Amino acid sequence: MPMLRRLVLLTLSALLLSGCGFHLRRSAQLAPALQRMHLDVSGDNALTRQLATALRLSGVTLEDHGGPGIATLRVPVNSFNTQALTLTGYASVSEYVVYYRVEFEVLGTDGKLLVPLQTVRMSRDFNFSPTQVIGNAGQQEQIQRSLVDDMAQAILMRLQAQGGSVVGTPAAASSAASAPGHD
């Protein structure tokens, strides 16, 4: 009887997850011109690691240096910004928002611009508790890690949508989680 109960619970869980829109992230199908790539990311090593992992899962061979026959994914802007979002009646901050802004472009295997410079902005807000300062710092770090993960996937999806065509119109200027006017 316990085995049947487990089977029923497992089946129900699978049905609930598929019904709510949850799907595992899949690898992107990138154009042949992007199958050998060099990453040139300013600043944060976390984005470099996430992009490298996502690209490898998509079948891209990462090269240590650019050159003929190697596309280059350049990320000249990669920055976080935290701002107060709401204040309590005592003029203390009760909520913050973390903004993440990345600009990227892709140079083709011949060194010409393949994907024009695009900006992706994402944000997440979080509650601040003056009695849990250590927890607040950990929460902000977790939010930044989550934003980096999402950013790597957003860049990959834009590369997939571009389809390797030469200098087309950039995808939408900001992601769905953007906060206009906050750079």
Side-chain angles (χ1 to χ4, degrees):
M1 191 63 140
M3 184 64 138
L4 179 60
R5 188 176 294 166
R6 288 182 188 157
L7 182 61
V8 169
L9 285 174
L10 182 63
T11 304
L12 285 175
S13 297
L15 288 173
L16 286 173
L17 283 175
S18 66
C20 75
F22 174 81
H23 300 286
L24 291 173
R25 288 183 178 167
R26 294 174 287 176
S27 58
Q29 300 298 317
L30 300 181
L34 303 178
Q35 293 306 305
R36 289 183 63 207
M37 188 176 292
H38 169 66
L39 291 178
D40 180 10
V41 181
S42 70
D44 188 8
N45 287 328
L47 181 61
T48 302
R49 284 190 303 274
Q50 287 299 326
L51 280 172
T53 299
L55 288 166
R56 283 187 188 110
L57 288 173
S58 296
V60 174
T61 302
L62 293 178
E63 303 291 344
D64 292 335
H65 305 286
I70 300 171
T72 300
L73 173 57
R74 288 189 57 245
V75 182
V77 175
N78 176 25
S79 63
F80 284 100
N81 184 15
T82 303
Q83 295 180 354
L85 188 60
T86 58
L87 299 173
T88 66
Y90 300 105
S92 63
V93 177
S94 63
E95 195 173 18
Y96 282 95
V97 63
V98 178
Y99 295 105
Y100 189 32
R101 179 174 172 244
V102 169
E103 292 181 8
F104 74 95
E105 66 185 359
V106 177
L107 303 175
T109 57
D110 57 0
K112 294 182 181 175
L113 189 63
L114 187 63
V115 177
L117 189 66
Q118 299 184 27
T119 300
V120 184
R121 293 179 182 95
M122 295 183 178
S123 65
R124 301 277 192 292
D125 57 306
F126 68 96
N127 293 326
F128 177 80
S129 172
T131 61
Q132 297 178 346
V133 176
I134 294 174
N136 292 327
Q139 185 178 8
Q140 186 173 350
E141 289 172 11
Q142 178 60 38
I143 288 169
Q144 287 182 347
R145 282 192 300 268
S146 173
L147 285 169
V148 167
D149 291 347
D150 291 347
M151 186 63 72
Q153 290 300 315
I155 290 171
L156 220 60
M157 292 303 114
R158 286 184 182 214
L159 293 179
Q160 179 178 342
Q162 192 71 30
S165 61
V166 176
V167 188
T169 304
S174 296
S175 71
S178 75
H182 292 89
D183 291 336

